[in-house]
């Protein structure tokens, strides 16, 4: 989260709504450790990363859906064991669990 | 100030802090901000849950670990108490200050070890009693260079050292090695490595025995000779063998430490 603070401060100053996705758990080989985070604004700006670039696109979609009120905040899982693996998978074969929520706290 | 503003301020100041978030179960999204020696800020929805999570978060922070833990809605942690209860899953995100490495002895190997330790994220201090050797100019990569005998250093910072920290004693000189080992053993430091040939090691163990260091609980903490048995030759290779041994001692993996092998140290 630390490396996102500057972008978040700038967006907050501009009155942007922001969603934050954090890696909370990994199974097998995951590219980023728990705590790795990424922030997405309602206008689609992005900072940080939660994998080696494998799932960021899908995370942006999920974050925007949460900001739009279409999806509840919660845990989202990406990985080989998941049905989605072939659509949005991790090339390393691991599984990552993300918690995605609005930064309204 | 919001919890996020307080959290951001602490992160910018590199102060130790843990953020607990309910990621599944009742109260999803609730936050508790936990710091050593301060009252927690926020709530996870139940005072007893707050108390138990704050306690666990301080433990995770000390180990610099982030991860998910499961509780009952009132902080229950034993399986019997959790029957027929919804599970509250909590992500504890730890932000701990960097681990410390203290290198005693401003010798050839010191600069290489300091460099490799910096790559691994340590705050590195080089310490030697000889003013001409312990200079900033020789060790620009270190965070601090201290001219001192070992005892005052351990009197000063001994309480700060913990399981994630490392003490590497590279002097090969019993005048300095013996008090450095004594000082390191008086702390909770996770790794103590002492450099020297197998002959130096044997003589040092005799000197340590003379000052009363004979109990297995002490002797077993010493990685001596320091490093893994990978046939390292140069200071840089030796630095890698030392840092790899430190990683293995933290993760508990079984690796060929020089301490547990025989034969030539350098290939």
């Amino acid at each position: 989260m630390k490396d996102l603070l500057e972008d978040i401060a700038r967006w907050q100053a501009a009155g942007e709504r922001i969603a934050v996705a954090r890696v909370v758990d990994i199974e097998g080989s995951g590219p980023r450790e728990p705590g790795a985070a990424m922030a997405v604004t309602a206008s689609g700006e992005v900072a940080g990363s939660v994998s080696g670039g494998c799932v960021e696109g899908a995370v942006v979609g999920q974050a925007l859906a949460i900001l739009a009120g279409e999806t509840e905040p919660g845990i989202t899982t990406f990985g080989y064991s998941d049905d989605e693996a072939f659509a949005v998978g991790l090339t390393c074969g691991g599984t990552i669990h993300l918690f995605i929520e609005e930064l309204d706290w | 100030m919001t919890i996020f503003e307080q959290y951001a301020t602490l992160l910018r100041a590199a102060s130790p802090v843990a953020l607990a978030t309910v990621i599944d179960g009742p109260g999803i999204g609730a936050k508790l901000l936990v710091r050593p020696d301060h009252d927690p800020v926020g709530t996870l929805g139940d005072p007893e849950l707050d108390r138990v999570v704050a306690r666990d978060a301080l433990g995770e922070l000390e180990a610099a670990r982030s991860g998910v833990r499961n509780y009952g809605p009132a902080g229950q942690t034993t399986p019997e108490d959790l029957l027929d209860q919804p599970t509250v899953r909590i992500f504890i995100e730890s932000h701990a200050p960097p681990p410390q490495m203290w290198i005693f002895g401003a010798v050839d190997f010191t600069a290489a070890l300091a460099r490799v330790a910096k790559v691994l994220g340590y705050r590195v201090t080089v310490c030697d009693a000889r003013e001409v050797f312990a200079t900033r100019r020789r060790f620009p990569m270190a965070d601090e260079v201290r001219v001192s005998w070992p005892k005052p250093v351990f009197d000063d910072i001994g309480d700060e050292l913990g399981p994630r920290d490392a003490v590497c004693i590279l002097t090969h000189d019993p005048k300095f090695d013996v008090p450095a080992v004594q000082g390191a053993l008086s702390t909770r430091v996770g790794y103590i490595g002492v450099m020297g040939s197998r002959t130096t090691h044997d003589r040092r163990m005799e000197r340590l025995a003379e000052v009363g260091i004979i109990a297995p609980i002490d002797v077993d903490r010493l990685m001596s000779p320091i490093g893994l048995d990978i046939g390292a030759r140069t200071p840089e290779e030796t630095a890698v063998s030392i840092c790899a041994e430190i990683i293995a001692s933290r993760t508990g993996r079984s690796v060929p430490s020089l301490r547990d092998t025989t034969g030539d140290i350098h290939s």
Side-chain angles (χ1 to χ4, degrees):
Chain A
M1 190 76 99
K2 194 172 182 177
D3 42 348
L4 306 182
L5 293 178
E6 275 183 39
D7 286 310
I8 289 174
R10 188 162 44 82
W11 293 332
Q12 283 181 329
E16 284 258 34
R17 287 177 61 213
I18 302 162
V20 172
R22 285 184 285 163
V23 177
V24 297
D25 203 6
I26 54 176
E27 292 156 41
S29 76
R32 301 288 311 270
E33 292 292 303
M38 154 176 179
V40 181
T41 69
S43 56
E45 281 198 81
V46 176
S49 75
V50 290
S51 74
C54 315
V55 304
E56 274 72 4
V59 173
V60 170
Q62 187 83 3
L64 291 175
I66 288 168
L67 289 176
E70 294 157 11
T71 309
E72 292 294 311
I75 299 170
T76 303
T77 296
F78 295 100
Y80 194 71
S81 59
D82 200 64
D83 284 344
E84 267 188 288
F86 298 99
V88 251
L90 291 168
T91 49
C92 55
T95 301
I96 60 173
H97 303 278
L98 306 175
F99 180 69
I100 313 178
E101 62 177 340
E102 181 168 1
L103 180 54
D104 55 1
W105 39 278
Chain B
M1 269 213 287
T2 63
I3 288 186
F4 180 76
E5 283 165 345
Q6 297 181 51
Y7 178 55
T9 304
L10 292 165
L11 289 184
R12 286 202 180 90
S15 297
V17 59
L19 179 69
T21 305
V22 177
I23 59 167
D24 199 16
I28 190 163
K31 302 274 185 310
L32 190 71
L33 191 70
V34 180
R35 316 164 56 184
D37 306 320
H38 287 77
D39 287 333
V41 177
T43 180
L44 302 169
D46 179 273
E48 190 55 18
L49 180 63
D50 289 346
R51 190 187 66 76
V52 175
V53 171
R55 179 198 67 194
D56 292 350
L58 288 176
E60 295 291 274
L61 186 58
E62 176 155 330
R65 224 173 12 223
S66 294
V68 177
R69 300 173 75 103
N70 297 323
Y71 301 90
Q76 302 93 324
T77 51
T78 47
E80 308 86 79
D81 294 339
L82 285 169
L83 287 175
D84 306 323
Q85 294 278 358
T87 303
V88 185
R89 302 190 72 204
I90 294 188
F91 176 55
I92 298 175
E93 182 177 326
S94 294
H95 295 272
Q100 301 187 44
M101 181 186 285
W102 281 78
I103 308 175
F104 289 92
V107 298
D108 285 352
F109 292 91
T110 308
L113 179 56
R115 259 196 305 275
V116 175
K118 283 307 291 177
V119 170
L120 293 176
Y122 284 90
R123 186 183 188 282
V124 177
T125 308
V126 173
C127 177
D128 196 302
R130 301 165 298 179
E131 212 167 319
V132 283
F133 293 119
T135 62
R136 274 244 64 107
R137 204 171 51 78
R138 287 187 71 206
F139 304 105
M141 73 299 284
D143 295 282
E144 191 187 339
V145 178
R146 213 184 263 207
V147 180
S148 174
W149 284 89
K151 188 172 182 316
V153 167
F154 287 105
D155 288 346
D156 182 20
I157 56 102
D159 289 349
E160 283 176 32
L161 298 178
R164 303 159 58 223
D165 303 317
V167 169
C168 300
I169 302 164
L170 310 186
T171 38
H172 306 71
D173 176 353
K175 264 203 324 290
F176 203 87
D177 281 5
V178 169
V181 168
Q182 284 178 299
L185 285 173
S186 72
T187 71
R188 294 165 53 242
V189 74
Y191 176 89
I192 307 171
V194 203
M195 184 174 266
S197 66
R198 296 204 182 274
T199 316
T200 306
H201 165 78
D202 291 341
R203 276 205 299 264
R204 183 164 51 224
M205 294 316 285
E206 288 167 18
R207 299 287 288 262
L208 288 171
E210 285 165 18
V211 298
I213 297 173
I214 40 167
I217 195 170
D218 287 331
V219 173
D220 290 353
R221 285 179 71 191
L222 303 179
M223 300 311 293
S224 173
I226 196 171
L228 297 186
D229 191 1
I230 57 172
R233 279 180 169 278
T234 63
E236 290 73 19
E237 289 177 357
T238 304
V240 168
S241 97
I242 293 169
C243 287
E245 184 171 71
I246 294 173
I247 295 168
S249 83
R250 189 193 68 220
T251 56
R253 295 300 174 101
S254 104
V255 290
S257 280
L258 283 166
R259 179 180 76 170
D260 307 319
T261 59
T262 55
D264 291 344
I265 288 178
H266 304 292
S267 64

